[in-house]
Amino acid sequence: MGRLGILAGGGELPHIGMREALASGEDPVFLSIIESDFQSGEYPEREYPIHIAKIGGLIKACKKLKVDRLLLLGKVKKEIIFKNLNFDLKALALLARMVNRHDYSIFRTIAEDFEKEGIQIISQKVYLKSLLLSEGRYTKRPLDKRQLLDVEFGMEYAEKIALLDIGQTVVVLDKSVLAVEAVEGTDQAIRRGGSFAKKAKAVVCKSSKPSQDDRFDLPTVGTNTLLTMHENHCEILALRDSETLVVDPEEFIRLAEKLKIHILSIGRGNLSKINRSQKKLTHIG
């Protein structure tokens, strides 16, 4: 077996993945994306910078480093595809084959091409299981009937926009959609939606698509999500259970309690039952 490569964007996820992979006995290497906000961490000797628009260069780097599995982790801002990037011939050929420029179309086309080169893109869950919340309510206070109706309404729409590859997040209030996430990202969607809520408190719903391909773009939240919600009149965060990566779950739940933000991890089952049953962090992963 060859090495594990972590195609790394910004944020904490690549570094969590690196630590988990090392703990499991892997010999991983970062293929750090120059155009992202990747921050050098505690393993600089394992970092190999690459350009996102140089797919041919990425494949060559994998061959050189004996990488046969790739884990895609970290933020790369969607608007980067609208910038004047200097694509290499391999990237241009892949772009020409894509049905559209939605995330999944891009990822799927790249994955198919990499597999032909003997490089498998693996599930993001493999080394991030500890960041997944199982079904339940993770903060103390139960929700009232109006809040539950908004959660149910919002999760339905969040799943629909995820299925259309528009985004993964909606902000709702009184069964009305205040904001839909698109290229701008989750935090900006929360700010836009919260600006309409004002004295009322809005609900943020984040969902993967049905039959989500967990190699790519699993929904992700962290403490910054909660701080943005708190600053923008949002009091509930509803997530899809076992499909949403929560960066530092213990700190995340502690901060949610401090800010009086409800956290629900929801399957496609009985919402009221989930609301009645608080779960502790021993249920994570």
Side-chain angles (χ1 to χ4, degrees):
M1 182 182 291
R3 298 178 80 182
L4 173 69
I6 301 176
L7 186 59
E12 288 297 314
L13 291 184
H15 301 285
I16 296 170
M18 172 64 76
R19 291 193 291 271
E20 292 291 330
L22 284 167
S24 74
E26 292 273 9
D27 179 27
V29 59
F30 279 133
L31 295 155
S32 55
I33 299 171
I34 293 168
E35 294 84 0
S36 74
D37 296 323
F38 178 82
Q39 298 293 317
S40 183
E42 55 189 300
Y43 304 104
E45 74 282 0
R46 292 182 177 274
E47 295 172 16
Y48 192 98
I50 59 98
H51 287 282
I52 193 63
K54 310 290 187 184
I55 301 298
L58 173 57
I59 291 172
K60 287 180 182 177
C62 288
K63 301 280 190 182
K64 176 181 178 180
L65 297 167
K66 296 181 169 50
V67 167
D68 64 356
R69 287 157 296 132
L70 267 183
L71 181 58
L72 276 55
L73 295 177
K75 295 181 183 177
V76 180
K77 293 181 179 178
K78 291 182 181 179
E79 60 261 34
I80 196 171
I81 65 173
F82 298 109
K83 295 184 177 179
N84 189 26
L85 295 175
N86 185 19
F87 293 101
D88 65 11
L89 291 175
K90 185 70 168 177
L92 289 171
L94 291 178
L95 286 169
R97 283 169 41 201
M98 292 174 191
V99 175
N100 53 49
R101 300 292 175 86
H102 287 319
D103 289 355
Y104 185 65
S105 179
I106 293 170
F107 291 140
R108 183 184 60 190
T109 305
I110 290 173
E112 289 171 353
D113 202 73
F114 273 49
E115 285 178 5
K116 293 175 184 176
E117 299 286 345
I119 303 164
Q120 180 188 8
I121 296 179
I122 67 172
S123 168
Q124 294 181 323
K125 295 181 181 181
V126 172
Y127 294 108
L128 298 179
K129 287 181 181 178
S130 63
L131 307 187
L132 299 170
L133 295 184
S134 59
E135 190 173 70
R137 174 169 55 83
Y138 285 86
T139 40
K140 293 177 182 177
R141 297 170 298 128
L143 280 65
D144 61 32
K145 184 177 179 180
R146 179 193 63 81
Q147 292 170 325
L148 286 173
L149 288 172
D150 268 351
V151 169
E152 186 174 23
F153 173 85
M155 289 303 283
E156 179 184 352
Y157 277 86
E159 189 172 278
K160 285 178 178 177
I161 68 161
L163 184 60
L164 293 170
D165 278 322
I166 295 171
Q168 299 171 326
T169 306
V170 297
V171 183
V172 304
L173 179 63
D174 293 333
K175 288 191 172 182
S176 179
V177 176
L178 304 182
V180 173
E181 177 194 11
V183 172
E184 82 280 20
T186 302
D187 288 351
Q188 288 298 329
I190 292 171
R191 292 186 183 102
R192 282 192 293 108
S195 70
F196 295 106
K198 298 184 179 178
K199 290 185 179 180
K201 296 290 187 177
V203 177
V204 177
C205 296
K206 195 171 186 72
S207 179
S208 54
K209 65 179 70 174
S211 303
Q212 172 81 25
D213 187 333
D214 55 25
R215 297 175 297 172
F216 315 125
D217 200 28
L218 283 177
T220 303
V221 295
T223 54
N224 192 62
T225 310
L226 297 176
L227 292 170
T228 304
M229 289 177 61
H230 181 67
E231 293 164 1
N232 292 277
H233 315 288
C234 300
E235 68 175 352
I236 300 168
L237 177 60
L239 311 171
R240 188 62 73 200
D241 81 290
S242 303
E243 292 289 338
T244 304
L245 300 171
V246 180
V247 179
D248 195 347
E250 287 79 8
E251 174 61 18
F252 181 83
I253 299 302
R254 186 199 67 78
L255 181 60
E257 290 283 10
K258 180 180 178 181
L259 298 178
K260 298 181 179 179
I261 293 174
H262 299 274
I263 305 295
L264 285 179
S265 180
I266 301 170
R268 294 171 175 86
N270 190 329
L271 182 57
S272 61
K273 181 180 177 182
I274 295 166
N275 183 42
R276 290 194 300 268
S277 175
Q278 184 190 356
K279 285 204 173 183
K280 303 298 184 182
L281 291 182
T282 52
H283 289 82
I284 291 179

